[in-house]
Amino acid sequence: MLSAISRFLHFKLTVWPRILVLGLAVAFAGRSGTAQDTPLISGGGGFLTSTNGGNTTYLPIIEPLIAAPLGRHLLVESRAALLETFTPNTSLKGGYDASFFAGLTYLQGDIKATPHLTVVAGSFLIPFNTYNERLSPIWIGNFQDGPLILNLGTLSTGTGVGGELRGSAVDRDSYSITYAGFFSARSGNEQFNSERSFGGQSSLYLHRARLEGGLSYDRSLQGMQENFYGGHIWWEPKDTGFRLRGEGARGHHAQGYWFEADYRLQRFGGPDSWIGRFEPVFRMQQTFRRDKIVSDGLPLENTQRADFGFDYNLPHNWRILTSYSRQFSATDNRNIWETGIVYRFLFPAWKGKMH
């Protein structure tokens, strides 16, 4: 009981003041804006379960996101996470242990300097490969957990504190090239933890083929000062319901890859038919150790894992996620079962004024 009270007081005294200040700043700056300037509140919530090695964990979670335009050239955006984890107590008393967490995932300001350049300042998601920026929100990913190589290139926290330059370098009818470069300072703040680092990403998108490929690089400038290299590919053929995505990454101590294919059965009566809402998913991933130094969050042994998912897209932005995984390594083979239900929400903070 005392631990629950202390977690609640910690949340009240450390997290809510930051969220409140952000909300008041956005409200003061944008309350008199037009409909186009009205802040949007988005995000997702869900209840997830995971059975790993015979132990089941329960995870209720909500991830709110706000995007608040302040004039024509400035956008403030932030995402938070509030979750409670219930894990089995393996001692003689049994039952479950609860662990509460609340914090800001990122908080950044985007300045649109030119049609080809956006300047980002604050706490931002590190632009290495694609999963960290595009697939990590619970309402987007097809699986509950991220790939095994997620920590490679995202520098343990997944966020940087500093500045970023990004935009479209070339935009033609048949293709476009985007870029992102960042520098992060070292921060030990509880809410904005980051490593001193720099890096960037560039990708090529072929419009007609709906095919994207890109390369990433970053370097940690503290501790072991490691280099990380990455590459990604996305393919989404038009009007097929099929998607193929994959990444590879290499660090000083480990390397690996993952690829994921999903197919929504929309050809059977359309995407809104009861059959068309089903979405089979498959993900294959492998990690390879280059040494046994613990520094990157990857398994200490070469590991293979196959994930089989079967999702269902309910009306009104609800999704049911189910999956079975089989993981193999020299020291441990295990089954992993995961289920969950997720809801995506989106609404304006208030009714905007029209000209």
Side-chain angles (χ1 to χ4, degrees):
M1 181 64 179
L2 290 176
S3 62
I5 293 175
S6 64
R7 290 196 306 267
F8 177 74
L9 290 176
H10 176 267
F11 174 69
K12 294 273 288 184
L13 296 175
T14 62
V15 179
W16 269 118
R18 294 179 173 89
I19 298 176
L20 180 60
V21 169
L22 173 63
L24 290 176
V26 170
F28 178 79
R31 185 69 183 183
S32 61
T34 64
Q36 292 85 350
D37 296 331
T38 302
L40 294 177
I41 298 176
S42 179
F47 184 83
L48 312 175
T49 72
S50 176
T51 302
N52 189 333
N55 296 317
T56 301
T57 299
Y58 301 93
L59 180 71
I61 180 174
I62 183 170
E63 289 188 342
L65 182 151
I66 185 170
L70 306 178
R72 298 180 58 186
H73 299 286
L74 176 62
L75 175 72
V76 176
E77 56 178 308
S78 180
R79 192 172 89 212
L82 300 90
L83 58 94
E84 185 98 13
T85 305
F86 298 90
T87 55
N89 188 317
T90 56
S91 65
L92 295 178
K93 69 178 183 179
Y96 281 80
D97 293 326
S99 175
F100 179 74
F101 172 82
L104 294 175
T105 306
Y106 66 88
L107 171 60
Q108 67 185 55
D110 306 335
I111 303 173
K112 186 177 181 181
T114 74
H116 297 280
L117 172 64
T118 298
V119 180
V120 179
S123 173
F124 53 85
L125 297 175
I126 291 178
F128 186 89
N129 280 341
T130 59
Y131 191 93
N132 192 38
E133 289 190 302
R134 301 191 200 176
L135 299 176
S136 58
I138 62 168
W139 64 90
I140 295 179
N142 289 320
F143 293 98
Q144 289 185 29
D145 52 353
L148 297 174
I149 65 168
L150 179 58
N151 280 348
L152 287 181
T154 58
L155 305 173
S156 71
T157 65
T159 57
V161 175
E164 184 180 5
L165 302 177
R166 64 188 310 149
S168 173
V170 179
D171 192 357
R172 300 288 187 266
D173 292 338
S174 58
Y175 70 94
S176 58
I177 299 175
T178 60
Y179 67 91
F182 75 92
F183 176 83
S184 172
R186 181 175 183 175
S187 172
N189 183 277
E190 182 179 4
Q191 292 296 319
F192 305 112
N193 197 352
S194 67
E195 293 186 18
R196 188 167 180 265
S197 58
F198 75 92
Q201 178 196 88
S202 183
S203 62
L204 169 68
Y205 181 67
L206 304 178
H207 296 171
R208 295 173 184 170
R210 297 172 64 89
L211 176 66
E212 176 187 338
L215 298 173
S216 301
Y217 167 80
D218 59 28
R219 177 175 175 81
S220 173
L221 299 176
Q222 66 184 65
M224 293 186 177
Q225 301 191 10
E226 302 176 52
N227 295 311
F228 298 93
Y229 308 89
H232 72 270
I233 187 169
W234 283 38
W235 183 40
E236 300 182 2
K238 186 178 180 180
D239 299 327
T240 64
F242 174 77
R243 294 182 298 184
L244 177 66
R245 300 179 283 218
E247 294 181 352
R250 177 185 176 93
H252 188 74
H253 306 288
Q255 61 190 15
Y257 73 88
W258 65 269
F259 70 85
E260 175 183 309
D262 66 271
Y263 176 64
R264 185 160 175 174
L265 304 179
Q266 62 186 37
R267 64 177 299 179
F268 301 99
D272 295 327
S273 66
W274 72 273
I275 296 181
R277 295 182 183 277
F278 282 104
E279 190 172 1
V281 189
F282 172 74
R283 182 173 68 185
M284 182 66 197
Q285 45 187 330
Q286 283 187 284
T287 63
F288 307 92
R289 298 301 312 184
R290 303 180 67 191
D291 58 44
K292 297 296 180 68
I293 298 177
V294 182
S295 65
D296 49 31
L298 271 68
L300 292 179
E301 300 289 342
N302 294 345
T303 301
Q304 302 178 45
R305 178 170 166 175
D307 305 292
F308 304 88
F310 201 56
D311 300 340
Y312 192 76
N313 298 276
L314 293 164
H316 309 297
N317 298 316
W318 289 87
R319 297 181 73 202
I320 296 175
L321 309 178
T322 62
S323 66
Y324 163 74
S325 305
R326 180 65 175 171
Q327 182 168 304
F328 303 90
S329 70
T331 58
D332 183 31
N333 297 333
R334 64 178 56 194
N335 299 312
I336 303 170
W337 301 86
E338 295 180 332
T339 61
I341 184 166
V342 175
Y343 174 66
R344 167 73 190 278
F345 55 85
L346 173 65
F347 55 87
W350 55 77
K351 186 177 180 180
K353 298 179 180 180
M354 303 300 293
H355 288 293

